Amino acid sequence: MSRVDRKPMMAGNWKMHHTHLEAIQVVQKLSYRLQGEDYDQVEVVVCPAFTALRSVQTTLDSDRIPIALGAQNVHFEPKGAFTGEVSPTMLAKLNVQYVIVGHSERRELFGETDDLVAKKLRAVLGAGMRPIVCVGETDDEREAGETETKVSGQVRAAFHGLKGDDAAKCVVAYEPIWALGTGKTATAADANATCGLARATLREIVGSVADGVRVLYGGSVKPGNIAELMAEPEVDGGLVGGASLDPDDFARIVQYHRSR
Ligand code: PEP
């Protein structure tokens, strides 16, 4: 299976930005800028903060906007005494289709381990949603030549023991940590090589199913660099932070295909 068979995805990770009122405006503006051909070519996902999920969901539903709803995090238990947490069932009931798991900010700032990421991945699948599993190396690891070990290790830890039909529902996002919010981007060739490595590692676990799994690149994706990244055969889309906050910029990123 080649890139041609994997529909590109652009997922906006809004992080801790946009109140629910701002989020409604952003998603509406984004929808005014996108046309049917954009949705035909690219799967568009927005991942608002928990507080904005319901408002964005009703906006998408009532205006019949074909943008998929994503969440930025989840707890792995279906319910219980976990103050401040949100369960997979709660998200699924809001028509959330994708959940980011293992973002480097969760791993670095909130102590999420590979083990926890693996549990969350399974919980997301168990609730009928699709995980976007983030992997990536720090600057120090890159300097030490440990990118491949780190990324393949994280992929193995997340997917170990997963059945092929479950893996087929997942998305992987390669996000070099040194490129997040820094304005530094991996070269298109490096992004391609590491996205390819993530896929090759997945292939060791689930075989040819891995060829249908989308592997996104994330790290200072902008309207000006997305076309070059998407020209690479192993890069199936972008996980976009800062540039997804602005509907004009995010629309231009989605519309990279128009310049082909
Ligand atoms: C991210 O943190 O997931 C991300 C891709 O951020 P940015 O695009 O701002 O580098």
Side-chain angles (χ1 to χ4, degrees), residues 13 15 103 105 175 179-182 218-221 239-243:
N13 173 12
K15 308 192 182 185
H103 190 279
E105 286 154 14
E175 298 207 304
L180 297 186
T182 59
S220 299
V221 170
L239 181 54
V240 187

Side-chain angles (χ1 to χ4, degrees), residues 161-174:
L162 205 67
K163 293 210 178 74
D165 51 351
D166 276 338
K169 296 173 192 148
C170 298
V171 176
V172 176
Y174 165 55

Side-chain angles (χ1 to χ4, degrees), residues 47-225:
C47 305
F50 286 139
T51 49
L53 281 173
R54 176 67 173 153
S55 312
V56 171
Q57 181 229 335
T58 51
T59 306
L60 296 175
D61 285 357
S62 59
D63 296 353
R64 300 211 175 128
I65 301 169
I67 294 176
L69 187 61
Q72 300 173 20
N73 187 26
V74 69
H75 195 275
F76 59 86
E77 291 286 357
K79 60 182 167 185
F82 301 104
T83 302
E85 294 292 323
V86 170
S87 80
T89 320
M90 292 168 181
L91 296 179
K93 283 281 177 202
L94 285 172
N95 291 347
V96 166
Q97 288 165 263
Y98 292 95
V99 184
I100 298 172
V101 297
H103 190 279
S104 62
E105 286 154 14
R106 300 290 326 163
R107 293 181 191 257
E108 290 203 325
L109 303 175
F110 301 97
E112 292 199 4
T113 60
D114 280 345
D115 187 41
L116 186 59
V117 173
K119 281 186 179 156
K120 290 186 176 195
L121 183 160
R122 282 154 182 78
V124 168
L125 288 168
M129 301 176 291
R130 296 166 178 255
I132 300 176
V133 186
C134 299
V135 297
E137 83 285 5
T138 64
D139 209 7
D140 286 350
E141 288 161 345
R142 178 172 73 127
E143 293 292 326
E146 291 166 2
T147 299
E148 297 195 356
T149 322
K150 177 72 180 291
V151 169
S152 58
Q154 285 180 324
V155 171
R156 272 194 204 97
F159 287 91
H160 177 75
L162 205 67
K163 293 210 178 74
D165 51 351
D166 276 338
K169 296 173 192 148
C170 298
V171 176
V172 176
Y174 165 55
E175 298 207 304
I177 296 168
W178 48 268
L180 297 186
T182 59
K184 296 185 203 164
T185 319
T187 64
D190 283 350
N192 188 58
T194 313
C195 288
L197 168 82
R199 187 188 314 288
T201 309
L202 198 52
R203 203 177 287 121
E204 287 170 20
I205 303 166
V206 292
S208 60
V209 166
D211 296 327
V213 172
R214 286 172 293 187
V215 182
L216 315 182
Y217 167 79
S220 299
V221 170
K222 305 273 182 257
N225 59 23

Side-chain angles (χ1 to χ4, degrees), residues 13-23 26 47-52 56 72 105 241-246:
N13 173 12
W14 291 351
K15 308 192 182 185
M16 200 171 71
H17 296 283
H18 293 331
T19 65
H20 73 287
L21 297 173
E22 291 161 345
V26 170
C47 305
F50 286 139
T51 49
V56 171
Q72 300 173 20
E105 286 154 14
S244 72
L245 296 174
D246 179 295

